[in-house]
Amino acid sequence: MADSDDQSDDYPESRPLARCGHIACAVDRFMIIWGGYRVVIWDEFMQEEYLPTHEIWIYDTDTEIWFRKETQGRSPKGTSGAAATVVDNKLYIFGGFSRSQNVNQIHCLDLKTLRWVNLVSECAQDFLPSPRDKHSVWDYKNKLYVFGGFGPPTYHYLSDHGQFELDASTTYFSYVRGWNNQILEYDIPTHSWKNPACSGMAPSPRAAMAVAKLDDRVVIFGGRNKEIRLNDLHYLDLDGMSWTQLTQNEPIPVGRTWHTFSKITQTELFMYGGFTQEKEPLSEAWVLDVDKCRWRQLPVAANKHRLWHTSSRCNNGDILIFGGCCNNILDAQTPVHTNETLVFRLSPRTLVRSSLDVVFKHRDCLQGEWESLPKSLRDILVLRLENAISLGNDDEEKENGRNKRRGSHLGCAIS
């Protein structure tokens, strides 16, 4: 059974603002959050506002504390529906929707210096991918790969392989868009893009699908193609660049978009949430055995509906679901965004983590012994204590604790 913890508080300065369409990546025990948008009411009208792009938020799973970090250099435009991955302590972000159009820029944030670099200037301008959002990105052998998405036609860009299907509803506007099933390849050392050919039966063009990498293969479930929210399952062999559509055993989850995949093991994936064909947000959790093509549903809280959220698996095994929309995102009424972190544990906590929890719980009688612990463990307990103080009732202690948490505890963004 999945063990789920809801983590929220009443102090917005101590955690990221509620948002949708953001990106999240796991690095060691940390989860990094960037971008996305939120809904605000201004003069009784609903408006969408992009979140600041010059900052990242970092969640430490050991201390259970959020840290906000300012970045340097020229940050990307505010976007929704971008996709990202981390390679060698560098966060790569590609695409998204910004203001009134899709973008095809690729940016890199060095997680040690926290400085942005716009890599588009390094690329051959005649060989760029089409702008898109709600696509997927992963890395393999020092290359980035992009699959699918929603955006303008691909024929003015890299379009040697793959299909584009027009969204007929956009033909009434000047900005025509649709779905594609391209595989794009970005070589990190040479800053060059390719649109390689793939053998086998490729998935249909789609966007807002769930994608996860397992060693040398990538698994894809669902997504939207035209008016249909799909529930088919595919995998791509990254060495042979060959597609295979998998035959699933019953029961099969209903078709959905804006759901997430996270790797549990090399053969199991965790899926959470989504948005159904009937425009219903989901609070479902499923585990997929990829080799057996067999799903099993997990018992979870029925009122934690999420779509267009993010999912990250940190190195302690915790799967973190952050943000997203809790209701029908297409409803004319105000969408409900959240900044909750749902923590799913599909295996018991480590002995060290459990021991730290007990030591912290009984700190009234054990705090005097903290100095005898190894520094790495002592630092975790001290940070948790500072966070508890910052969320307390004493204004002076709360401010002191908040300033300490915003200091340079980590030395750099990720250490």
Side-chain angles (χ1 to χ4, degrees):
M1 179 182 297
D3 177 18
S4 172
D5 293 345
D6 304 339
Q7 299 189 358
S8 60
D9 57 53
D10 298 324
Y11 297 92
E13 69 269 24
S14 68
R15 61 187 296 109
L17 294 171
R19 64 190 67 198
C20 264
H22 52 288
I23 65 101
C25 289
V27 181
D28 297 328
R29 71 175 195 263
F30 304 100
M31 174 177 65
I32 302 172
I33 299 293
W34 177 86
Y37 77 98
R38 66 171 181 160
V39 172
V40 296
I41 305 299
W42 186 260
D43 288 339
E44 299 182 356
F45 291 97
M46 183 181 73
Q47 297 185 23
E48 294 177 351
E49 174 184 84
Y50 289 108
L51 277 300
T53 63
H54 57 82
E55 67 180 27
I56 60 172
W57 283 86
I58 302 169
Y59 182 74
D60 185 338
T61 57
D62 277 353
T63 62
E64 300 179 353
I65 297 173
W66 285 99
F67 296 90
R68 177 184 173 275
K69 291 286 184 177
E70 288 279 341
T71 61
Q72 308 298 318
R74 189 170 182 177
S75 60
K77 297 178 180 179
T79 59
S80 62
T85 189
V86 173
V87 182
D88 295 333
N89 280 319
K90 291 182 172 63
L91 174 68
Y92 292 88
I93 299 177
F94 172 73
F97 188 86
S98 180
R99 305 301 174 190
S100 60
Q101 62 183 358
N102 291 102
V103 297
N104 64 348
Q105 294 192 343
I106 180 169
H107 289 79
C108 174
L109 177 66
D110 189 312
L111 295 175
K112 293 185 176 179
T113 64
L114 290 184
R115 179 166 294 277
W116 288 102
V117 176
N118 185 344
L119 298 177
V120 170
S121 61
E122 307 291 335
C123 303
Q125 297 301 302
D126 293 336
F127 298 95
L128 291 177
S130 65
R132 63 191 68 198
D133 70 333
K134 297 184 284 290
H135 51 289
S136 296
V137 169
W138 65 87
D139 64 275
Y140 185 66
K141 293 184 176 179
N142 217 25
K143 295 179 180 179
L144 308 182
Y145 290 86
V146 177
F147 171 74
F150 187 73
T154 58
Y155 44 75
H156 292 307
Y157 302 91
L158 279 174
S159 56
D160 295 332
H161 306 285
Q163 300 170 271
F164 173 84
E165 292 188 359
L166 177 68
D167 181 356
S169 67
T170 67
T171 58
Y172 298 101
F173 306 96
S174 59
Y175 192 53
V176 176
R177 298 198 291 168
W179 298 267
N180 74 78
N181 67 349
Q182 284 185 321
I183 286 287
L184 300 168
E185 178 185 288
Y186 177 79
D187 186 82
I188 294 175
T190 63
H191 304 293
S192 59
W193 284 99
K194 293 181 181 178
N195 176 205
C198 297
S199 61
M201 182 180 293
S204 59
R206 65 191 62 201
M209 54 276 159
V211 174
K213 187 186 74 171
L214 300 175
D215 283 341
D216 58 354
R217 59 180 173 171
V218 166
V219 182
I220 294 175
F221 179 79
R224 179 179 171 183
N225 173 270
K226 296 184 178 179
E227 298 304 316
I228 303 300
R229 290 178 170 84
L230 304 159
N231 67 343
D232 52 348
L233 184 68
H234 303 257
Y235 83 77
L236 175 67
D237 179 339
L238 292 174
D239 288 323
M241 296 304 287
S242 174
W243 284 108
T244 301
Q245 182 170 359
L246 301 175
T247 300
Q248 304 171 74
N249 293 297
E250 298 286 350
I252 302 172
V254 299
R256 66 192 65 201
T257 54
W258 284 318
H259 49 301
T260 53
F261 259 163
S262 292
K263 183 176 76 172
I264 304 171
T265 67
Q266 292 302 334
T267 60
E268 287 189 319
L269 295 173
F270 175 80
M271 183 175 75
Y272 192 79
F275 194 54
T276 71
Q277 185 70 26
E278 290 72 33
K279 299 180 174 59
E280 295 175 345
L282 295 169
S283 59
E284 293 181 352
W286 294 77
V287 171
L288 170 67
D289 185 318
V290 178
D291 290 344
K292 297 179 180 178
C293 293
R294 189 178 301 280
W295 293 92
R296 59 184 174 92
Q297 190 170 2
L298 303 180
V300 295
N303 62 343
K304 298 298 180 181
H305 302 90
R306 294 292 185 274
L307 60 98
W308 218 359
H309 53 285
T310 54
S311 178
S312 306
R313 182 185 184 274
C314 297
N315 65 359
N316 62 4
D318 285 356
I319 296 176
L320 310 178
I321 304 295
F322 176 77
C325 185
C326 304
N327 62 348
N328 182 352
I329 198 170
L330 304 179
D331 199 306
Q333 297 183 0
T334 305
V336 177
H337 293 180
T338 181
N339 64 348
E340 275 190 323
T341 304
L342 308 180
V343 182
F344 289 90
R345 297 186 183 95
L346 303 182
S347 58
R349 287 194 177 201
T350 65
L351 180 59
V352 171
R353 185 83 178 271
S354 298
S355 298
L356 283 173
D357 289 346
V358 172
V359 170
F360 185 76
K361 180 179 179 180
H362 299 285
R363 59 188 177 275
D364 289 346
C365 59
L366 295 177
Q367 190 172 349
E369 306 297 325
W370 288 6
E371 287 299 320
S372 62
L373 293 172
K375 184 178 183 301
S376 59
L377 301 181
R378 185 171 68 248
D379 287 348
I380 291 172
L381 292 169
V382 170
L383 283 171
R384 290 181 67 173
L385 179 60
E386 290 173 358
N387 187 58
I389 292 173
S390 73
L391 300 180
N393 296 319
D394 187 294
D395 290 338
E396 181 178 357
E397 288 296 323
K398 181 168 63 177
E399 187 60 32
N400 288 339
R402 186 178 300 126
N403 289 336
K404 289 177 182 177
R405 288 190 305 110
R406 288 180 172 173
S408 55
H409 294 298
L410 301 181
C412 60
I414 303 294
S415 64

